[in-house]
Amino acid sequence: MEKFRFLTAGESHGKGLTAIIEGIPSGFEINPDFINAELKRRQQGYGRGGRMKIETDTVEILSGIRFGKTLGSPVALFIKNKDFENWEKIMSINPQDYTEEKSFSAYRPGHADFAGSVKYNQKDLRNILERSSARQTAIEVAVGTVAKQILNTLGISCSSKILQIGKAANEADFHKEIDTAKESGDTLGGKIEVIFSGLPVGLGSHVHWDRKLDGLVAQAVMSIPAIKAVEIGDNPLGLTGSEYHDEMYLEGEKVVRKTNHAGGIEGGMTNGENLVVKAIMKPIPTLRKPLNTVDSSTMQETQAHFERSDTCAVEACAVVAEARIACVLVNEILLKFGGDSLEEILKNKEHGKSHIDCF
Ligand code: EPS
């Protein structure tokens, strides 16, 4: 039931990253400057590695937009990997360029190296690293920023924040925590929160497991590299029903709440409150202080491969999570209100008002 669909392609050190988005109605303003600003946000954050000094991620819009507005046709996006200049021979598509430079065979525990190489029958673990790298999240942020602009046009906006880095739960301690990990060649994860506001009631549905919005949001966020847990709203563990559920009141004819423990979703549908999504990121598995592992070529115990990486990418992860959730929400908006143009969506939204005019 996907209306807003996209595929991405590209290796971390290949020529670049590509996406094709299908299903965007016509008439939506898309500003590449906004996409580039979001790409910059993804590159920032304390604890990023050397690669971010090489790249200045910039989107090239190849199709689907004319004079600033979507045409209804597929939108194709491209981000160049500047680092490709240094990898041209290593990442060449030509068999005559074959080289074992940058090949490696010592699995990094926690990365896709082991399972990916078994699954795809690859001896050189670089053939797995290149696509499993979090580099691909750059093009996902570009796609998600197209989605965000569609949402903004419909009065829906988002923000995010860092709740925890390593053991530090206060902003003042975040940098110190990252510095300490970096000094010892280690890495850190953390917890983020993303909030969307201005959502209409009834995105998602209670009628089927695969239409529940919390499930769809969880899948979109859980599949961001290194995410191990997703929560919607407040953790209800240990709370009683009367402590947890958000009681309802009337303000004129409007149904209102004084709390939002549910995080904006009840019965798999938006309930008009802010959508609050939290996610926990594990520490990045590429460590300067390597972990014990096995070398797949010698089948001997050894130390894991080290590849330039980040100490902590939790801030970047928040930007990626915003983007992923934005795509899910645009899809749900299109399912609920339909239409091939912005004008048609607005008309459907107006005509589709329910017996309770909450929003
Ligand atoms: C990333 C690019 C990568 C890594 C990082 C994210 O670049 P490189 O491998 O050239 O240093 O910095 O990838 C990972 C953390 C990972 O686990 O794969 C990026 O653009 O975000």
Side-chain angles (χ1 to χ4, degrees):
M1 286 224 305
E2 273 197 64
K3 289 259 184 190
F4 179 94
R5 295 183 285 147
F6 68 93
L7 283 176
T8 70
E11 274 74 42
S12 180
H13 303 96
K15 212 170 209 174
L17 306 159
T18 310
I20 296 181
I21 316 170
E22 150 64 22
I24 306 178
S26 67
F28 282 94
E29 274 181 36
I30 302 297
N31 182 350
D33 294 344
F34 184 24
I35 302 178
N36 291 334
E38 292 292 279
L39 290 174
K40 193 169 175 189
R41 271 183 78 211
R42 193 202 72 94
Q43 283 198 260
Q44 288 166 345
Y46 200 72
R48 297 308 304 274
R51 178 73 182 271
M52 293 304 105
K53 294 190 182 80
I54 298 172
E55 305 294 343
T56 325
D57 290 337
T58 309
V59 74
E60 192 182 346
I61 300 177
L62 302 174
S63 71
I65 291 165
R66 189 161 187 235
F67 305 132
K69 288 191 178 174
T70 56
L71 300 172
S73 54
V75 171
L77 307 174
F78 181 72
I79 297 172
K80 185 178 157 183
N81 283 330
K82 280 193 178 172
D83 205 18
F84 180 60
E85 278 175 23
N86 308 313
W87 290 75
E88 219 160 320
K89 275 270 161 19
I90 299 159
M91 293 304 292
S92 170
I93 59 164
N94 299 320
Q96 61 268 31
D97 291 332
Y98 181 81
T99 171
E100 289 184 5
E101 195 187 339
K102 298 278 187 190
S103 292
F104 73 102
S105 50
Y107 305 118
R108 290 165 300 163
H111 224 293
D113 303 347
F114 174 70
S117 67
V118 172
K119 182 175 172 67
Y120 289 95
N121 196 23
Q122 295 294 318
K123 287 205 169 76
D124 181 0
L125 302 183
R126 175 151 306 280
N127 291 340
I128 303 305
L129 174 155
E130 284 294 329
R131 182 64 183 161
S132 63
S133 165
R135 176 76 193 140
Q136 47 135 339
T137 60
I139 195 72
E140 290 174 355
V141 166
V143 172
T145 310
V146 170
K148 272 188 194 175
Q149 290 181 82
I150 295 172
L151 295 176
N152 288 349
T153 305
L154 300 171
I156 299 159
S157 57
C158 80
S159 63
S160 63
K161 66 178 179 199
I162 312 302
L163 298 179
Q164 191 165 330
I165 289 199
K167 290 192 171 65
N170 289 314
E171 208 181 320
D173 302 327
F174 290 166
H175 287 197
K176 211 171 81 202
E177 190 84 354
I178 294 169
D179 288 340
T180 309
K182 193 174 180 181
E183 275 159 31
S184 56
D186 221 325
T187 57
L188 282 179
K191 189 168 185 180
I192 58 157
E193 179 181 81
V194 179
I195 298 182
F196 278 80
S197 55
L199 292 163
V201 178
L203 300 183
S205 176
H206 65 287
V207 303
H208 253 131
W209 70 273
D210 60 350
R211 293 183 60 191
K212 295 196 178 217
L213 187 66
D214 36 10
L216 295 165
V217 166
Q219 201 274 334
V221 177
M222 187 65 118
S223 55
I224 296 170
I227 293 295
K228 297 302 274 185
V230 182
E231 297 168 1
I232 309 283
D234 294 330
N235 183 352
L237 194 66
L239 298 183
T240 61
S242 57
E243 285 166 331
Y244 179 72
H245 293 295
D246 306 304
E247 293 179 287
M248 298 176 178
Y249 302 91
L250 274 176
E251 214 174 76
E253 296 209 329
K254 211 169 153 183
V255 180
V256 295
R257 321 277 182 128
K258 292 178 183 166
T259 55
N260 183 22
H261 299 304
I265 299 188
E266 289 171 314
M269 292 167 282
T270 49
N271 64 4
E273 300 298 315
N274 286 348
L275 172 63
V276 183
V277 183
K278 297 172 194 175
I280 296 175
M281 187 184 197
K282 72 183 180 184
I284 286 170
T286 310
L287 273 72
R288 205 155 35 77
K289 178 181 75 182
L291 300 170
N292 292 325
T293 190
V294 169
D295 187 302
S296 61
S297 62
T298 60
M299 282 315 278
Q300 300 288 313
E301 289 183 356
T302 183
Q303 305 263 279
H305 167 77
F306 174 68
E307 170 111 1
R308 173 188 63 195
S309 189
D310 308 299
T311 306
C312 178
V314 174
E315 281 189 56
C317 179
V319 182
V320 179
E322 287 178 19
R324 289 268 186 113
I325 300 168
C327 293
V328 172
L329 293 174
V330 167
N331 188 55
E332 291 304 318
I333 296 261
L334 295 177
L335 282 172
K336 178 151 178 62
F337 300 110
D340 297 305
S341 65
L342 168 61
E343 295 73 19
E344 203 174 352
I345 291 172
L346 293 176
K347 228 180 274 172
N348 292 346
K349 210 167 164 250
E350 192 54 34
H351 288 164
K353 279 197 172 151
S354 177
H355 65 291
I356 294 182
D357 186 15
C358 315
F359 303 94

